Amino acid sequence: MLPLAARIGSVVSAGNSIAFGSVTAWRLHSYHLPVSLLLSCALCCAFVMLKATDRALFLWSASTYRCTVPGCAFTVRTQRVSAGERRRWQETAADHPAHDTAR
Ligand SMILES: [Zn+2]
C-alpha cells in the first residue's frame, strides 16, 4: 500500500489531468469539431498533464544521490525505498565504476 503522501499525489495528479482535459474539450467545443477529434485532443492533453504532474511529484519527493567526483554527472534518484536500499544507492553513487568527467 502506498504512503498517504503518494496516494494524495495520485489523486491530485488524476484530478489535475481530468480538469485540464475537460477544459481543453470545453474550449475546443465552440469550434464545432468532430467528436472524435475533440475527444482525442482532450485525452491527449489529459495524458500529457498526467505525465507532467507525475514527473513533477516524482522530482519533488525523490531522493537524489550524486557522484562526489568533480565533473562527474552520475546521478541516482530513488523514491519510496527502505533505509538499507537507500544506503546501497548512496554507496553506488559514491563508488561507481566509470566516472564521466569528459564534459
Ligand atoms: Zn562518478
Side-chain angles (χ1 to χ4, degrees):
M1 183 170 218
L2 292 174
L4 180 62
R7 283 185 275 163
I8 291 173
S10 297
V11 170
V12 167
S13 178
N16 197 18
S17 66
I18 290 170
F20 187 63
S22 300
V23 166
T24 302
W26 178 257
R27 294 176 94 189
L28 289 176
H29 182 262
S30 61
Y31 292 99
H32 306 292
L33 296 174
V35 173
S36 61
L37 182 59
L38 187 73
L39 190 61
S40 63
C41 288
L43 288 175
C44 182
C45 289
F47 183 73
V48 166
M49 183 57 76
L50 179 68
K51 296 307 285 182
T53 308
D54 281 347
R55 182 70 181 156
L57 289 173
F58 173 76
L59 291 175
W60 180 61
S61 65
S63 299
T64 302
Y65 308 109
R66 292 183 174 85
C67 179
T68 56
V69 172
C72 183
F74 185 81
T75 301
V76 176
R77 283 199 175 97
T78 60
Q79 187 181 33
R80 294 191 291 268
V81 295
S82 65
E85 195 173 354
R86 185 178 307 122
R87 182 70 190 147
R88 188 172 61 85
W89 282 114
Q90 284 175 337
E91 291 171 359
T92 299
D95 187 28
H96 61 98
H99 299 283
D100 183 22
T101 58
R103 294 181 192 174

